[in-house]
């Protein structure tokens, strides 16, 4: 938005208005990317702290704390008078996202019946995607107003308030309550989740949860890093680190955050660029909904592989199209028909991500850890995600400027690598109860050498 750039990033606006410029480098500003990526530094710190909070006070309390923090961050951003306020608000948003991203996937994994766990967890990603679509619509609707950027940033307080208030009306998970010695509350919570008509199943599940919680309580004195570095948890450690890193190396986050910039660079005006970004978000949402319907039927591996192949082809096609039109120097002109083709390719790419690495990168790490290290394991995964997102979002515009169309080949190479990793090293977790997940590692052709035949 021009008024936003005028107030906070005038140098970027000046560069964009120059008659002759390299389209790859128009928005290469470290201050501009700092505004975006500061959220992820704060999220990284918050996600590491959140594991202690989640273990001590429960998943629900952590989500409420995240909602409050996000609410205040949104208000500061909407009232920002200078760049310091803008980035300070962004940091508070990061803390809010860090707390909730750690707690919410674990909460969903623990309350969902095993046969529906995939759909429950993808609901988390679906609502993130809905938020992206809503934000793009708001951006488009406020684009022509002088203070439209204030409305756009400030309205983030609305979903934060809804989430915070909503969490007041739910109970914590049975696993979390048992780990904190609240057996009666855990029994009540499980009855609410499964229904009193399934009392026999509830008692059986509760007995299993009690057994797992006892192991978790006994392990409280152990240092998390000492525990997860044990040989038997090597598969969990590798997957918890590699999966979130690979999710960001698909390039989707930087494409999503800088989509308006990217579309303006290839020939769209401000309004059309925002419309194209909305279409991109809507396609991603549609594919997430599709994933919700098929995840527990076809499994995690199939969706990972199919999405990876589709994204790889699209990244190569975009790179070729940019090379042919604007060239390596970035001073060529892309005709409208080619620019529309770029949008179509990125939409197909977003669809592939939406049913694969988007939701599954949150689902898989949240379901693979045993209860004794589940909060800390999820924190590690979220922290790695934030660290990777920060690094890539902080460097994307500079990478686009230096690599030119090769930036898309760079991400394509990583997509190829991660697809091979899934084929070779990621076991299928469809339909396996979270407290019996150790079985998939013991049966895997490679990871079985690290695990022991034990349920802990």
């Amino acid at each position: 938005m021009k008024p936003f750039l005028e107030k906070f990033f005038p140098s970027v606006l000046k560069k964009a208005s120059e008659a002759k410029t390299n389209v790859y480098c128009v928005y290469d500003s470290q201050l501009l990317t700092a505004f975006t990526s500061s959220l992820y530094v704060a999220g990284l710190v918050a996600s590491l702290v959140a594991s202690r909070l989640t273990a001590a006070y429960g998943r629900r309390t952590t989500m409420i704390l995240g909602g409050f923090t996000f609410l205040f961050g949104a208000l500061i951003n909407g009232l920002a008078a200078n760049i310091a306020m803008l980035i300070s608000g962004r940091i508070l948003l990061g803390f809010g996202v860090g707390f909730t991203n750690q707690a919410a996937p674990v909460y969903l994994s623990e309350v969902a019946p095993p046969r529906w766990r995939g759909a429950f967890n993808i609901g988390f990603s679906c609502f993130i995607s809905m938020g992206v679509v809503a934000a793009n619509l708001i951006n488009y609707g406020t684009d022509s107003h002088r203070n439209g950027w204030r409305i756009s940033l400030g309205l983030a307080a609305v979903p934060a308030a809804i989430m915070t208030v909503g969490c007041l009306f739910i109970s914590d998970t049975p696993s979390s309550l048992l780990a904190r010695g609240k057996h009666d509350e855990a029994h009540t919570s499980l009855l609410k989740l499964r229904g009193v008509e399934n009392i026999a199943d509830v008692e059986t599940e509760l007995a299993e949860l009690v057994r797992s919680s006892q192991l978790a309580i006994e392990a409280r004195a152990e240092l998390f890093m000492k525990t997860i570095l044990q040989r038997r948890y090597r598969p969990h450690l590798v997957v918890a680190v590699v999966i979130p890193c690979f999710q960001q190396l698909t390039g989707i986050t930087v494409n999503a955050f800088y989509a308006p910039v990217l579309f303006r660079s290839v020939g769209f005006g401000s309004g059309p660029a925002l419309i194209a970004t909305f279409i991109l978000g809507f396609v991603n949402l549609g594919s997430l909904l599709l994933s919700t319907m098929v995840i527990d039927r076809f499994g995690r591996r199939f969706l990972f592989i199919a999405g990876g192949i589709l994204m790889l082809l699209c990244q190569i096609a975009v790179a070729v199209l940019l090379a042919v039109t604007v060239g390596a120097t970035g001073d060529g002109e892309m005709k409208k028909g080619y620019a529309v083709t770029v949008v179509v390719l990125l939409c197909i790419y977003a669809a592939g991500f939406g049913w694969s690495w988007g939701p599954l990168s949150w689902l898989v790490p949240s379901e693979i850890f045993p209860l004794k290290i589940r909060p800390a394991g999820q924190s590690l995964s979220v922290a790695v995600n934030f660290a990777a997102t920060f690094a890539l979002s902080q460097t994307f515009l500079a990478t686009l400027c230096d690599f030119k169309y090769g930036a898309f080949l760079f991400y394509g190479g990583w997509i190829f690598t991660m697809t091979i990793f899934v084929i070779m090293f990621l076991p299928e977790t469809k339909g396996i109860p979270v407290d019996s997940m150790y079985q998939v590692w013991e049966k895997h052709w490679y990871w079985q050498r690290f695990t022991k035949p034990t349920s802990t």
Side-chain angles (χ1 to χ4, degrees):
M1 295 180 182
K2 187 176 179 181
F4 180 77
L5 292 175
E6 284 177 346
K7 186 171 183 64
F8 298 108
F9 308 101
S11 62
V12 175
L13 188 63
K14 180 181 178 182
K15 190 190 296 186
S17 63
E18 292 176 358
K20 189 72 172 179
T21 188
N22 185 331
V23 298
Y24 295 115
C25 303
V26 172
Y27 296 94
D28 182 17
S29 165
Q30 287 303 304
L31 187 60
L32 178 61
T33 52
F35 163 65
T36 298
S37 56
S38 57
L39 182 150
Y40 299 105
V41 177
L44 168 62
V45 175
S47 61
L48 292 173
V49 174
S51 67
R52 297 279 183 170
L53 292 175
T54 303
Y57 301 105
R59 287 61 161 144
R60 172 178 172 268
T61 301
T62 305
M63 290 189 286
I64 292 173
L65 178 61
F68 270 119
T69 311
F70 196 96
L71 177 63
F72 285 116
L75 293 176
I76 291 174
N77 269 178
L79 298 172
N82 50 54
I83 192 68
M85 283 186 70
L86 194 68
I87 294 182
S88 296
R90 188 78 175 167
I91 290 172
L92 284 176
L93 295 180
F95 279 115
V97 173
F99 287 134
T100 52
N101 274 14
Q102 191 278 341
V106 173
Y107 185 98
L108 292 170
S109 288
E110 290 182 344
V111 302
R115 65 183 182 278
W116 295 338
R117 190 175 62 248
F120 268 59
N121 243 291
I122 289 180
F124 173 77
S125 297
C126 278
F127 278 101
I128 291 178
S129 188
M130 287 180 188
V132 171
V133 172
N136 289 332
L137 282 173
I138 292 169
N139 286 343
Y140 180 72
T142 59
D143 183 41
S144 59
H145 296 277
R146 180 70 190 172
N147 289 313
W149 65 269
R150 291 191 184 276
I151 299 171
S152 181
L153 294 177
L155 281 178
V158 175
I162 292 172
M163 185 190 73
T164 304
V165 174
C167 284
L168 297 176
F169 294 93
I170 61 175
S171 62
D172 211 339
T173 71
S175 294
S176 176
L177 291 166
L178 286 170
R180 290 179 285 138
K182 300 181 179 181
H183 187 280
D184 291 341
E185 291 181 38
H187 186 264
T188 302
S189 176
L190 193 59
L191 278 175
K192 284 183 179 180
L193 291 168
R194 304 293 184 254
V196 292
E197 66 276 9
N198 299 312
I199 187 67
D201 293 338
V202 167
E203 296 301 330
T204 301
E205 184 175 354
L206 183 64
E208 178 64 22
L209 291 174
V210 168
R211 188 191 62 80
S212 297
S213 69
Q214 288 300 318
L215 294 171
I217 292 171
E218 293 169 6
R220 280 181 179 174
E222 297 181 28
L223 293 175
F224 164 63
M225 288 307 298
K226 181 180 178 181
T227 303
I228 202 170
L229 289 175
Q230 293 176 7
R231 181 178 174 84
R232 58 177 167 169
Y233 296 127
R234 191 72 49 79
H236 310 74
L237 177 63
V238 171
V239 171
V241 171
V242 168
I243 292 292
C245 279
F246 278 161
Q247 184 198 42
Q248 296 310 314
L249 286 168
T250 62
I252 189 66
T253 299
V254 289
N255 282 350
F257 278 108
Y258 297 113
V261 170
L262 185 62
F263 291 144
R264 290 189 71 173
S265 293
V266 298
F268 287 90
S270 176
L274 290 174
I275 292 176
T277 305
F278 162 72
I279 294 172
L280 197 65
F282 191 77
V283 169
N284 185 57
L285 174 59
S287 62
L288 274 167
L289 294 174
L290 173 64
S291 182
T292 303
M293 293 184 286
V294 302
I295 177 65
D296 291 312
R297 179 181 302 176
F298 295 105
R300 285 68 162 147
R301 282 169 50 85
F302 173 80
L303 295 181
F304 264 131
I305 296 167
I309 293 172
L310 189 61
M311 288 190 292
L312 174 60
L313 295 176
C314 288
Q315 291 286 63
I316 293 173
V318 170
V320 170
L321 196 58
L322 289 174
V324 171
T325 53
V326 298
T329 59
D331 55 6
E333 182 178 353
M334 178 174 282
K335 295 180 180 179
K336 188 174 182 179
Y338 289 120
V340 170
T341 304
V342 170
V343 174
V344 172
L345 286 170
L346 289 179
C347 282
I348 297 172
Y349 162 84
F353 178 86
W355 76 56
S356 60
W357 285 93
L360 299 182
S361 296
W362 296 106
L363 168 61
V364 172
S366 73
E367 65 184 4
I368 62 172
F369 287 100
L371 180 60
K372 64 187 292 186
I373 57 171
R374 191 175 300 150
Q378 177 68 6
S379 286
L380 173 65
S381 181
V382 172
V384 170
N385 189 297
F386 278 125
T389 306
F390 169 74
L392 291 171
S393 60
Q394 188 67 24
T395 58
F396 173 67
L397 294 179
T399 301
L400 183 63
C401 182
D402 294 333
F403 283 25
K404 313 301 190 288
Y405 58 83
F408 295 92
L409 294 177
F410 170 78
Y411 290 120
W414 279 110
I415 292 171
F416 175 79
T417 301
M418 63 187 72
T419 303
I420 297 299
F421 175 86
V422 169
I423 293 172
M424 298 294 294
F425 299 109
L426 187 67
E428 182 57 67
T429 57
K430 177 186 71 172
I432 307 295
V434 288
D435 290 307
S436 301
M437 198 62 68
Y438 62 91
Q439 297 173 3
V440 303
W441 306 110
E442 293 176 1
K443 296 176 182 178
H444 189 268
W445 71 272
Y446 180 76
W447 298 122
Q448 64 181 344
R449 70 190 67 183
F450 297 98
T451 58
K452 296 179 180 179
T454 173
S455 59
T456 60

